[in-house]
Amino acid sequence: MVGSLLGTEVQRVEDPELLRGGGTYVPNFAVDGLLHIGFVRSPLAHATINDIDTSAAREAPGVVAVFTAADLELPVPPPFLELNPACSRTPLATDRVRFAGEAVAVVVGRSAAAVEDAVELVDVDLAELPVAVDPEQALDPDAPRQFPELGTNVAAGFRDPAGADVLDGSDVVVRARIENQRVAVVPMEGNAIAVVPGGPGAEHEVVVHVSTQMPHGLRAGLAAAFGWPIERVRVIAPHVGGGFGGKAGAIPEHVVAVAVARELGRPVRWVEGRSENLQAMPHGRAQVQYAELGLRSDGTIVGLRCRVVGDCGAYAGFGGALALGPTRMMAQGVYRIPRISYDGVAVLTNTTPVGAFRGAGRPEAAAMLERMIDLAAAELTMDPAALRRKNFLAPEDFPYRTVVGANYDSGDFDLPLTEALRQADYEALRAEQARRVEAGETVLLGIGMSSYVEITGGGDGEYAEVEVLPDGARIKVGTSSHGQGHATSFAMLVSDVLGIPMESIAFVQSDTAEVPRGSGTGGSRSLQLGGSAVRRAGEAVLQRAKELAATRLEAAVDDIEVTEDGALGVAGVPTATLSWSEVVTAAAENDERLAAQVDFTPEGATFPFGAHVSVVEVDVETGLVRPVRHIAVDDCGRVLNPLIVRGQQHGGAIQGIAQALWEQVTFDADGNPGNATLADYAMPSAADVPSLEAHNTETDTPRNPLGAKGIGESATVGSTPAVQNAVVDALRHLGVRHVDMPATPERVWSTISAAREGTLPDPWQEPPAAFAVLPERGADTPDDPDEAVV
């Protein structure tokens, strides 16, 4: 077959259905007898439960039932990642609540409006307890305990025995306390689930329609929680309005919905409201990082010492574990750093649990390291680009195992930085920056950059099936798309192998009755793992088709090829061809489907990389920061469809820019959330961000047949530190060396005022004493890069 779709811009095949209103989401689910459920949530961040009076709610119009934990036999779902089994969470609180918004009861009604009204009638008698809101303060010996029986708020942690020794031999050591603030996931669609109960005489115990990133993982979680064989649970994810890490695993509300449906013998549906989502969906980031970078006077890096506090929020969810896993794993970044000491502690607080958010630990590592590189450049009076280049790992170093155990596959870290600076016209920007300062203008220019590497696509691999049908082909795959363009990308792969037009290729995903297994979507894994499985399955189908065609056409198998018009023919004999429909018929005559199933296992995780340049304007009279340009050069290995890659770059970069400038979840001293609605949480609109300049370099990986690496999270990793560095860069002539995120007008204006008054605070302070008493990380502590991808 002449030509290939791969590497070309192909319009997304899944979009017309959504644009024409044909898409379906869980809130659209309707079935006879459907009931609605809603949760009664704690108004206090920490309290013991004296009593829950549901009598008034039970008598309210339209209410069918009200349940507390005492009324239902609720199993504890297996967590997505268990950091500390002593800190487990029941689906409905029993004796104690540990964050404002924790569910304590569930109301069931005939309409959503009836449920909403009745929720307000449930009287929860709580005895307020002292709270620990700030993760550093929660480390104090006298801080209120979330789990008194633990005797500490430390869920897990370790320290590196090397400690400060890694800085020995340095001429210069730069130090900073860096806040990687808590942010909300805010998918366009919140959590939603509809449960149809089955039972002993039905095919399934339950059929669950749910907004999730990982249908098979959720099936496994529900089956394990309720003690059912896994095949007795069917999970279907229809269209999903975004996940970004916030929709992984079986959450407490899922378990309650299943239990209620089983108890009442009727289908139920829960659709999370926006305020509910902001309070209850796990937040992201939430780290405090103490970093020290040692260098020689010529800029050569000597060593890096990190002490990182990860906020678990309430319960020991996997959010706190990100500081112990992927943030540590990616602490070396793109540089030759001969010695690294990394201590990490995961801390329990009376706040919303922390989980994954686009990048899940990797953006935090890049933000810390890239801030330190810029601090070092300022201290050494070196251009930040020159300092980076001096310390980059070289292309000939790959494959390369870092000091902390990551096994990099391939890379040329200078390539995207050179391209980003060229696209930005770096020298011209520096000249304009100097002109504004010399002219005494009040709107200054800041130029920030970042170079990053991240980890994607590890784990157990992925399932796919490709089947040729009389009128086309069908793909089944274990990944679960919620906007990434899987249907397009995978159809491109099958069309490339079999010559079947993309419009004749059906796509099946996210139904555990149709797709037997799969790991879903997360960690930027889908193309490199699911796509590789699809490619291999397509090749297996083609091989079997060639065998069938060879028999019919009386030719050698090796002489059979896909023709230009998408048939199978004999090379050099234009008249000797079979249509795919005829090959399918030949297979049927042998009592077989023309299909192949593949479970693809990668040779290891892949490591995308790139460089971003941010240009911002800072008004010194108001502190307002306005992003002017953002140049992203991301290397995700082989680019299959530039249109889809560019879309991922745009989405990722905007979320990263938003963290640097606007977004932050806050709590007051009593643990009350300060962001109850989107009026309080600073999500940017299209008017707030500049047009993005997205570019790519391509450095193939040898670890999968496509040569592809992940792209879904890369721009989030690269953008945040570039913007933060740009804000600081605009003020460096004033002596400013650090501004924490988000760089709000108030924070920037206060920094400018302190600089003019000569009262700038030291960016360093001593870390909490708790680091000194953490257990040492020993030789028996594994370094598993795949565990870092969530």
Side-chain angles (χ1 to χ4, degrees):
M1 185 174 65
V2 177
S4 173
L5 285 173
L6 306 187
T8 64
E9 295 209 358
V10 176
Q11 295 296 314
R12 290 164 39 120
V13 300
E14 51 268 87
D15 289 348
E17 181 182 35
L18 293 167
L19 293 171
R20 294 167 182 160
T24 181
Y25 295 82
V26 174
N28 304 129
F29 178 80
V31 65
D32 289 344
L34 179 69
L35 299 174
H36 301 260
I37 66 175
F39 290 92
V40 180
R41 297 186 180 273
S42 171
L44 298 179
H46 199 198
T48 55
I49 301 174
N50 292 332
D51 184 50
I52 304 175
D53 184 357
T54 62
S55 56
R58 292 176 192 272
E59 299 302 318
V63 171
V64 174
V66 183
F67 299 108
T68 67
D71 302 317
L72 296 170
E73 293 184 11
L74 292 171
V76 176
F80 186 75
L81 185 152
E82 187 169 60
L83 183 60
N84 188 327
C87 308
S88 64
R89 177 184 176 186
T90 56
L92 292 176
T94 54
D95 59 335
R96 181 185 294 236
V97 292
R98 293 180 170 88
F99 71 97
E102 183 168 5
V104 299
V106 59
V107 177
V108 190
R110 295 183 181 87
S111 70
V115 169
E116 186 174 359
D117 290 341
V119 162
E120 300 297 324
L121 299 176
V122 177
D123 184 12
V124 184
D125 182 8
L126 299 173
E128 191 166 3
L129 295 170
V131 299
V133 175
D134 180 274
E136 293 178 284
Q137 294 176 3
L139 289 169
D140 291 343
D142 58 350
R145 302 278 188 261
Q146 264 208 58
F147 291 86
E149 60 274 19
L150 276 183
T152 178
N153 286 324
V154 174
F158 56 76
R159 62 185 172 92
D160 198 315
D165 292 348
V166 298
L167 304 175
D168 288 349
S170 302
D171 298 321
V172 171
V173 177
V174 291
R175 297 178 170 90
R177 176 190 177 275
I178 301 167
E179 291 187 25
N180 202 287
Q181 81 273 26
R182 179 187 287 243
V183 296
V185 177
V186 201
M188 187 174 294
E189 177 196 27
N191 281 304
I193 184 171
V195 182
V196 179
E203 186 177 357
H204 300 97
E205 296 290 341
V206 288
V207 176
V208 178
H209 301 254
V210 62
S211 182
T212 182
Q213 298 172 218
M214 302 173 179
H216 294 84
L218 195 148
R219 176 184 66 167
L222 292 178
F226 287 93
W228 296 322
I230 199 166
E231 65 274 8
R232 293 286 293 160
V233 180
R234 182 180 182 184
V235 172
I236 302 167
H239 287 102
V240 173
F244 308 114
K247 295 179 180 176
I251 63 174
E253 290 88 347
H254 293 160
V255 171
V256 174
V258 170
V260 168
R262 297 276 295 176
E263 177 74 15
L264 299 177
R266 291 179 63 178
V268 302
R269 185 178 71 197
W270 170 61
V271 178
E272 186 178 55
R274 180 56 61 192
S275 292
E276 210 176 11
N277 176 266
L278 285 166
Q279 285 189 75
M281 177 174 277
H283 297 149
R285 309 293 185 249
Q287 292 186 9
V288 180
Q289 306 161 329
Y290 293 84
E292 301 169 84
L293 183 67
L295 308 95
R296 297 194 180 94
S297 56
D298 67 354
T300 302
I301 296 175
V302 172
L304 172 67
R305 186 184 189 191
C306 308
R307 282 168 283 184
V308 178
V309 179
D311 187 354
C312 296
Y315 304 98
F318 74 99
L322 297 175
L324 312 183
T327 300
R328 176 184 179 274
M329 184 61 65
M330 300 315 301
Q332 184 168 338
V334 295
Y335 305 109
R336 189 179 304 282
I337 305 179
R339 294 178 294 184
I340 297 177
S341 173
Y342 188 103
D343 305 349
V345 61
V347 187
L348 297 158
T349 60
N350 294 115
T351 60
T352 301
V354 176
F357 173 59
R358 201 170 192 161
R362 291 104 74 195
E364 296 90 315
M368 174 176 62
L369 185 57
E370 290 304 287
R371 217 35 312 273
M372 299 308 297
I373 292 293
D374 262 33
L375 280 167
E379 184 69 22
L380 295 167
T381 63
M382 289 183 68
D383 183 274
L387 182 59
R388 285 171 169 81
R389 286 183 168 132
K390 184 173 186 63
N391 291 284
F392 277 154
L393 292 166
E396 58 267 23
D397 292 329
F398 296 90
Y400 178 85
R401 188 169 183 85
T402 69
V403 174
V404 287
N407 185 13
Y408 293 174
D409 50 350
S410 60
D412 184 348
F413 297 149
D414 186 56
L415 190 64
L417 179 60
T418 297
E419 178 63 11
L421 294 175
R422 185 187 72 81
Q423 292 285 346
D425 198 353
Y426 184 57
E427 296 304 324
L429 286 172
R430 286 294 181 202
E432 171 62 14
Q433 179 185 52
R435 186 200 66 76
R436 294 191 189 192
V437 171
E438 291 167 6
E441 294 188 9
T442 59
V443 178
L444 303 176
L445 199 67
I447 306 120
M449 66 189 71
S450 71
S451 294
Y452 74 90
V453 60
E454 72 139 334
I455 180 172
T456 66
D460 297 330
E462 194 50 85
Y463 165 87
E465 177 187 273
V466 173
E467 180 176 8
V468 179
L469 305 169
D471 57 350
R474 180 175 59 211
I475 302 166
K476 294 182 178 181
V477 67
T479 59
S480 186
S481 178
H482 43 277
Q484 297 92 332
H486 294 184
T488 302
S489 298
F490 297 160
M492 289 174 67
L493 290 166
V494 170
S495 182
D496 186 68
V497 172
L498 302 181
I500 296 173
M502 285 183 60
E503 59 270 21
S504 299
I505 300 174
F507 181 68
V508 178
Q509 63 162 12
S510 305
D511 183 341
T512 60
E514 294 288 335
V515 182
R517 53 193 173 275
S519 296
T521 297
S524 299
R525 65 189 303 278
S526 296
L527 178 64
Q528 56 187 306
L529 302 186
S532 291
V534 168
R535 178 81 181 200
R536 290 272 173 85
E539 291 169 344
V541 167
L542 178 60
Q543 179 59 32
R544 179 57 184 148
K546 285 182 175 182
E547 293 167 359
L548 292 166
T551 300
R552 287 291 180 99
L553 298 174
E554 299 181 346
V557 172
D558 290 345
D559 290 336
I560 302 297
E561 62 183 11
V562 178
T563 66
E564 290 185 35
D565 56 355
L568 291 177
V570 180
V573 186
T575 57
T577 62
L578 287 177
S579 68
W580 277 109
S581 178
E582 291 172 315
V583 179
V584 170
T585 299
E589 290 172 357
N590 290 340
D591 294 325
E592 63 178 291
R593 295 188 302 137
L594 188 53
Q597 298 181 355
V598 168
D599 289 284
F600 173 77
T601 302
E603 295 178 21
T606 62
F607 293 83
F609 59 94
H612 285 214
V613 172
S614 170
V615 184
V616 303
E617 290 184 335
V618 178
D619 188 327
V620 296
E621 294 184 337
T622 65
L624 179 67
V625 179
R626 185 173 73 90
V628 178
R629 294 178 65 193
H630 193 94
I631 300 97
V633 181
D634 300 302
D635 194 313
C636 59
R638 185 185 183 191
V639 173
L640 182 73
N641 185 335
L643 179 70
I644 287 177
V645 167
R646 192 162 58 250
Q648 292 295 304
Q649 289 176 281
H650 284 194
I654 289 172
Q655 286 184 310
I657 294 168
Q659 182 184 0
L661 296 180
W662 303 299
E663 294 188 30
Q664 181 174 22
V665 171
T666 61
F667 297 90
D668 68 16
D670 295 321
N672 299 308
N675 314 97
T677 70
L678 288 180
D680 308 308
Y681 187 77
M683 282 279 292
S685 71
D688 298 309
V689 294
S691 294
L692 300 169
E693 302 169 46
H695 309 275
N696 301 101
T697 57
E698 294 188 47
T699 306
D700 288 7
T701 179
R703 294 181 179 169
N704 63 68
L706 299 179
K709 306 183 184 187
I711 188 59
E713 294 155 297
S714 290
T716 308
V717 179
S719 57
T720 303
V723 177
Q724 187 181 18
N725 285 341
V727 173
V728 177
D729 180 70
L731 309 176
R732 63 187 169 91
H733 66 288
L734 299 175
V736 174
R737 292 294 177 262
H738 183 67
V739 178
D740 265 320
M741 302 185 295
T744 60
E746 180 183 7
R747 178 170 281 167
V748 172
W749 184 86
S750 297
T751 301
I752 293 169
S753 297
R756 288 171 169 168
E757 295 167 3
T759 59
L760 277 172
D762 189 335
W764 174 255
Q765 66 185 56
E766 287 301 315
F771 281 106
V773 296
L774 293 172
E776 282 194 358
R777 182 182 174 84
D780 59 339
T781 305
D783 284 318
D784 185 353
D786 288 348
E787 291 183 356
V789 185
V790 291

